[in-house]
Amino acid sequence: QVQLVESGGGLVQAGGSLRLSCAVSGRTFSGFAMAWFRQAPGKEREFVAGITWNRGIPYYADSMKGRFTISRDNAKNTVYLQMNSLKPEDTAVYYCASRRSTSVISYSDAYDYWGQGTQVTVSS
């Protein structure tokens, strides 16, 4: 059974940093694309960043470029999201997702597997 388990969320002051982790298990993710999405209260789920498992090519939502960095460790079967210069508007539940394709796209419906989410709260 495929499992994605996020960790690393928490409460941080504006300007601070957090690193989220997504541990994947249950199958090999070679040939898959991984992504981070987030959902704030009352808002739709939005794409944050994605990465191709094989080649590690990153993709970012325009508003995240320069502050967020996505990476993966094949040996540990883990995807990371380093978040710097956090703002109160970054407050949301962050989800890890995977799709059976080598292409990263920003539509949440295209992803086949999801983690349970981890809360990130940025105080002003």
Side-chain angles (χ1 to χ4, degrees):
Q1 183 175 353
V2 174
Q3 276 195 315
L4 306 179
V5 180
E6 303 97 334
S7 62
L11 174 65
V12 64
Q13 289 188 331
S17 298
L18 282 175
R19 188 177 81 157
L20 306 183
S21 300
C22 173
V24 302
S25 63
R27 64 155 296 138
T28 176
F29 280 78
S30 175
F32 276 44
M34 305 295 298
W36 288 95
F37 287 79
R38 69 184 186 185
Q39 188 166 21
K43 295 188 177 181
E44 293 186 354
R45 192 168 295 189
E46 67 171 337
F47 174 79
V48 174
I51 191 167
T52 58
W53 192 267
N54 287 1
R55 299 180 64 187
I57 300 173
Y59 300 85
Y60 299 96
D62 288 343
S63 60
M64 317 299 172
K65 289 179 181 177
R67 296 192 301 126
F68 292 5
T69 303
I70 188 171
S71 62
R72 93 271 185 257
D73 185 328
N74 288 3
K76 295 182 178 180
N77 270 5
T78 301
V79 178
Y80 302 99
L81 183 68
Q82 177 67 44
M83 305 186 295
N84 298 327
S85 302
L86 284 163
K87 306 173 183 179
E89 51 264 43
D90 293 317
T91 295
V93 177
Y94 284 71
Y95 296 92
C96 178
S98 176
R99 65 186 299 255
R100 292 185 292 263
S101 169
T102 55
S103 299
V104 173
I105 61 175
S106 61
Y107 298 106
S108 59
D109 287 349
Y111 287 79
D112 305 296
Y113 305 104
W114 290 85
Q116 81 288 349
T118 185
Q119 176 71 47
V120 171
T121 303
V122 184
S123 63
S124 57

